[in-house]
Amino acid sequence: MVMILKERVIENRIMGDPIQMLYKMVISGQAAQTATPGQFVHLQVADSNEPLLRRPLSIAGIDKNTEEVTIYYKVIGKGTELLTRIKENEYISVLGPLGTGFTVPDSGELLLVAGGIGIFPLLSLIQAVDKEKVKLKLLWGGENKQFIESAGLIDIEKMGVNLDMSTLDGSLGTKGLVTDLLESYLGDNTDTIAKPKDNGKQNLRVATCGPKGMLQAVTKICLGHNVPVEVSLEERMACGIGACLGCVCTVKDLEGNLKRKRVCKEGPVMDGKEVVWDE
Amino acid sequence: MSKVSMAIQMSGLSLRNPIITSSGTYGFGEEYSPFCSPSLLGGITVKGITPLPRLGNPVPRLAETPAGLLNSVGLENPGLEGFIRSYLPKLVELDTSVIVNISGFSIEDYAHLASAFQNDSGIAALEVNISCPNIKHGGMAFGTHPESAQEVIAIVRKNTDLPIIAKLSPNVTDIVEMARAVERGGADIISLINTLLGMSIDVKSQKPILANKMGGLSGPAVRPIAVRMVYQVYEAVDIPIVGMGGISTWQDAVEFMLAGASAVSIGTANFINPIAPVDILTGLENYCQQRGYGSVQEIVGLAHQR
C-alpha cells in the first residue's frame, strides 16, 4: 500500500571514493513492509520551495524484519545534494513505495544488466531472488574501477552473485561497454534461451537498468536472441502517483497502436518489447 | 467556540467547502484517494477533456524552476467518448462535487463538448479551458482575445445547463478585459489563473529542457501574480471567483479569499503533499474560527476594504 510517512533516517553516508559522490541511505519504517524489488520512494529532500518537488529514488534493499529500506544515490543536483545533509535520526517525508517493480522469477536463469548507477534498483532484485532455484548472473558496466568499487562492489560480491564487469577505461573487468558483455554472454549461452517450440517457456530472462541509450541497446540485443527483457526507466517526475502525466513513456500495443504509460505508475519497470525508444 | 460554516454558494454551484483541486494535477480523482478522501474536499476538477483522444507531447514534459514547475503535457486525455465510458461512471459515485474541464481547438469543439454534459450528468459544473490555440485562426489562444473568449463561453452556455466556470489565461495584457468578456459570454464563475507561459534552457545541452520548448509555469513562484489578478477581477465583475496559482498553505488560501476568491483550487502543491487540500482546509477553518467568523464566506474580498 502506498503511504505518506515520516520515517527515520538511520544511515546516510558517502561510499568509497568521495569524487564519485555516491551515498547510501537507510530509512527505518513502514515503507519496507510492502515494498517490492524495482519500486521507488518519493522523498522530500527539504522543507523548502527549492527544489519544489520530491525526488524519486529507487529502492536498493528491503528488509521487512528490521523494517528498513536502503537507497543508494549519486549527487547530481541540488535535490540530491540536500539529501546528503540529512543526519542520522532525523525524519524524512517518504511517499511510497511507488510504482511497478521487476518480475521475481522462481525458476530458470535471471541475467541482470546494469549500467553505472543502474545497478542500484537491481540490488533489490538480487536480494529477492531465491538463489537456490534461480541461476543469477550480473553484467555490470561502469566508467572505471573507482566508480565500481565505490558503488558497492564488495557488498555485491558478498551476495554471492556471479559477476562480470566492464569499464570504459579497462581499469576493471573487460574494457568496453556492458552491452559487449551481453552480446558475448547470449552468444555463448544459446542453449538456455527458449526456442519457439518450447511453447513459451522461458528459461532465461533479463532485467536491466541504466542510461536510456543502454537500455535501448540491451533490449535490441535481447529481443534479437528471443530473450524477454524488463527495463527500469527513468523520467522527470512530479507527483509520482500517476496523476500529473509528466513522466510518460510511449509503448506500442499488440495491434501496433501507440499509447502512453506512466513511468511512476505502470513503471518504472516495463516490458522492453513494448517500449518505443525513438519517438 | 462555535463551528464555522465552511459551505459556499457560487451562482448555481454549492460546495461543501471552498477547497477544490485543479485540473491536470488530480488525474480523474483515483490517484489521490489513498491519501485524501474526496468526501473531505469541496470539489475536484478532472484532467482536461478534448473531443478526440490525445497522446499529448513527448517527454521531457516537466522542468523544475525556482519555486515553480514548468509543464507541457499537451492535453493527454482519453477523449470525450473514452472519458464518458471509462472514467465518468466512477467519478459521479465520488462523494464530492466533480467539475469537468473541457478544452477545444475550435468553437465547434467547445459546442460538442458542452452538449455532452448536462445537469443530469451527475457532475457539478463545467470548467472551460480557453487557453488552447484556435487552430482555425492561426493558433492564437481563445483566451488571449476578448471576442473569441466571449464567443467560446457563449457557445458553451448555449449547449449546457450546467454552471460554467471560465478559466482565464494569465498570458494577457489586461486580465480585467478578459474577465468582463467571459462574464458577457454568460459564465457563472471565473477561475484564475491558468499557468504562465515560460521556458527553461539546459546550460549543458544548450537546448530548452521541455520537448515542447515552452510550457506552463505553476507553483509558489506564480502566486503573487495570481493574487493580483484575482484582486483586479474581483473589482471588475459581478460573478464569483475560484482563485488558484501556487497555493500550498492555508495562509495562501486565505490570501486568495481576501483578494476576492470565493473558493480556491490546489494544484502543484498536491505533488509535494498529497494531503495538502485537507491541511489547507483545516488551517482555513481554524483561521475563521479564531477570528470569530460564522461562515468562511465572510472573508471573501476583505482586502478591498478601505
Side-chain angles (χ1 to χ4, degrees):
Chain A
M1 202 185 65
V2 180
M3 290 173 286
I4 178 164
L5 306 156
K6 278 276 176 201
E7 309 228 286
R8 193 163 58 92
V9 173
I10 56 175
E11 188 178 336
N12 189 23
R13 60 168 178 86
I14 197 158
M15 303 193 295
D17 174 14
I19 293 164
Q20 305 298 329
M21 298 293 274
L22 295 166
Y23 281 75
K24 178 184 186 184
M25 179 182 260
V26 182
I27 297 168
S28 166
Q30 287 181 66
Q33 286 300 342
T34 55
T36 61
Q39 284 193 304
F40 68 97
V41 283
H42 217 15
L43 304 180
Q44 195 171 359
V45 296
D47 191 10
S48 80
N49 280 331
E50 202 184 353
L52 183 65
L53 299 173
R54 288 173 177 269
R55 289 293 178 271
L57 288 147
S58 60
I59 296 171
I62 304 159
D63 191 328
K64 292 191 197 304
N65 294 323
T66 57
E67 291 202 317
E68 286 170 12
V69 165
T70 302
I71 292 149
Y72 293 101
Y73 61 97
K74 182 178 168 73
V75 174
I76 51 161
K78 189 160 186 176
T80 40
E81 198 278 315
L82 284 170
L83 201 58
T84 67
R85 299 193 200 177
I86 296 172
K87 294 183 182 70
E88 283 171 19
N89 292 318
E90 285 185 355
Y91 283 78
I92 185 168
S93 170
V94 178
L95 183 59
L98 300 175
T100 308
F102 293 106
T103 305
V104 183
D106 52 14
S107 65
E109 181 179 359
L110 179 63
L111 177 63
L112 307 173
V113 185
I117 58 171
I119 187 68
F120 297 155
L122 293 172
L123 294 176
S124 63
L125 185 54
I126 294 174
Q127 194 187 38
V129 165
D130 184 341
K131 282 122 197 140
E132 308 265 293
K133 293 177 181 159
V134 179
K135 189 182 163 200
L136 204 57
K137 172 85 185 178
L138 170 63
L139 308 177
W140 184 14
E143 198 156 328
N144 51 39
K145 185 169 185 268
Q146 289 84 347
F147 166 79
I148 292 209
E149 285 182 348
S150 302
L153 177 61
I154 293 166
D155 292 337
I156 292 163
E157 284 173 335
K158 270 191 222 152
M159 290 169 105
V161 186
N162 186 334
L163 167 69
D164 285 348
M165 287 171 286
S166 68
T167 48
L168 293 179
D169 62 0
S171 54
L172 193 65
T174 312
K175 185 175 177 177
L177 297 169
V178 72
T179 44
D180 303 335
L181 295 182
L182 176 65
E183 283 275 21
S184 57
Y185 186 84
L186 292 181
D188 294 345
N189 291 273
T190 45
D191 55 317
T192 59
I193 300 169
K195 309 292 183 295
K197 64 174 167 55
D198 293 344
N199 202 16
K201 185 178 165 289
Q202 307 282 8
N203 288 319
L204 175 67
R205 45 190 311 139
V206 169
T208 185
C209 184
K212 200 168 183 178
M214 178 211 125
L215 296 183
Q216 180 176 5
V218 167
T219 301
K220 195 178 166 209
I221 294 165
C222 289
L223 297 182
H225 285 85
N226 193 31
V227 172
V229 54
E230 285 187 332
V231 296
S232 179
L233 300 173
E234 186 175 49
E235 192 51 66
R236 285 166 181 267
M237 214 174 260
C239 72
I241 59 171
C244 73
L245 308 184
C247 66
V248 295
C249 152
T250 308
V251 297
K252 197 179 263 185
D253 69 13
L254 291 172
E255 288 88 49
N257 301 311
L258 292 185
K259 287 187 174 165
R260 306 282 197 207
K261 282 192 173 179
R262 298 165 292 187
V263 171
C264 69
K265 188 90 176 178
E266 289 83 30
V269 177
M270 305 253 188
D271 182 351
K273 190 172 61 187
E274 66 173 15
V275 174
V276 177
W277 298 97
D278 300 305
E279 198 190 342
Chain B
M1 265 193 289
S2 63
K3 191 120 179 74
V4 183
S5 165
M6 294 304 284
I8 55 153
Q9 278 78 41
M10 295 188 287
S11 34
L13 178 62
S14 301
L15 302 178
R16 178 186 288 131
N17 62 60
I19 309 297
I20 305 172
T21 59
S22 305
S23 179
T25 68
Y26 224 68
F28 292 113
E30 288 171 30
E31 288 79 10
Y32 282 97
S33 54
F35 309 102
C36 182
S37 167
S39 65
L40 298 171
L41 302 172
I44 62 173
T45 313
V46 299
K47 174 88 195 138
I49 302 300
T50 54
L52 296 172
R54 285 174 60 86
L55 275 178
N57 292 330
V59 292
R61 290 178 169 184
L62 302 172
E64 219 175 350
T65 59
L69 174 65
L70 283 166
N71 87 82
S72 67
V73 171
L75 286 169
E76 177 182 339
N77 80 95
L80 179 61
E81 242 178 72
F83 171 71
I84 290 174
R85 189 179 56 241
S86 306
Y87 298 98
L88 190 60
K90 276 181 256 175
L91 276 166
V92 300
E93 291 300 314
L94 296 178
D95 179 20
T96 194
S97 299
V98 174
I99 299 164
V100 172
N101 180 292
I102 56 171
S103 301
F105 301 95
S106 68
I107 293 290
E108 295 74 28
D109 280 357
Y110 284 102
H112 175 55
L113 288 161
S115 63
F117 300 100
Q118 306 298 332
N119 249 322
D120 58 6
S121 303
I123 65 169
L126 274 189
E127 182 178 63
V128 188
N129 175 9
I130 58 170
S131 303
C132 314
N134 182 351
I135 50 172
K136 287 188 182 161
H137 289 92
M140 168 90 97
F142 291 100
T144 56
H145 207 263
E147 286 76 24
S148 58
Q150 182 178 340
E151 195 185 353
V152 167
I153 298 302
I155 200 86
V156 171
R157 176 74 292 155
K158 223 167 135 182
N159 283 279
T160 184
D161 53 10
L162 281 165
I164 299 170
I165 306 171
K167 185 169 184 176
L168 299 188
S169 165
N171 304 309
V172 295
T173 311
D174 183 359
I175 195 73
V176 165
E177 195 187 0
M178 300 309 305
R180 288 194 176 123
V182 297
E183 187 180 34
R184 279 196 303 274
D188 299 292
I189 298 162
I190 288 173
S191 62
L192 76 164
I193 59 173
N194 206 326
T195 54
L196 280 148
L197 197 60
M199 183 188 271
S200 185
I201 296 170
D202 185 336
V203 296
K204 276 187 224 150
S205 69
Q206 304 182 327
K207 286 176 185 147
I209 292 173
L210 298 174
N212 190 47
K213 299 186 177 74
M214 289 182 277
L217 182 65
S218 64
V222 310
R223 199 171 66 235
I225 298 168
V227 170
R228 181 265 293 181
M229 288 186 168
V230 167
Y231 188 94
Q232 286 179 303
V233 168
Y234 181 79
E235 296 200 331
V237 298
D238 294 323
I239 53 179
I241 297 166
V242 176
M244 69 184 90
I247 299 174
S248 311
T249 66
W250 67 263
Q251 290 91 336
D252 304 339
V254 169
E255 190 182 4
F256 273 82
M257 294 188 80
L258 295 174
S262 297
V264 293
S265 195
I266 317 300
T268 306
N270 294 305
F271 302 157
I272 299 104
N273 177 13
I275 57 165
V278 177
D279 288 348
I280 291 167
L281 177 64
T282 307
L284 176 62
E285 194 167 358
N286 287 341
Y287 175 85
C288 291
Q289 195 158 44
Q290 278 160 16
R291 290 181 173 247
Y293 296 110
S295 161
V296 69
Q297 298 191 95
E298 290 171 45
I299 71 167
V300 176
L302 287 184
H304 295 263
Q305 287 175 335
R306 283 166 184 277

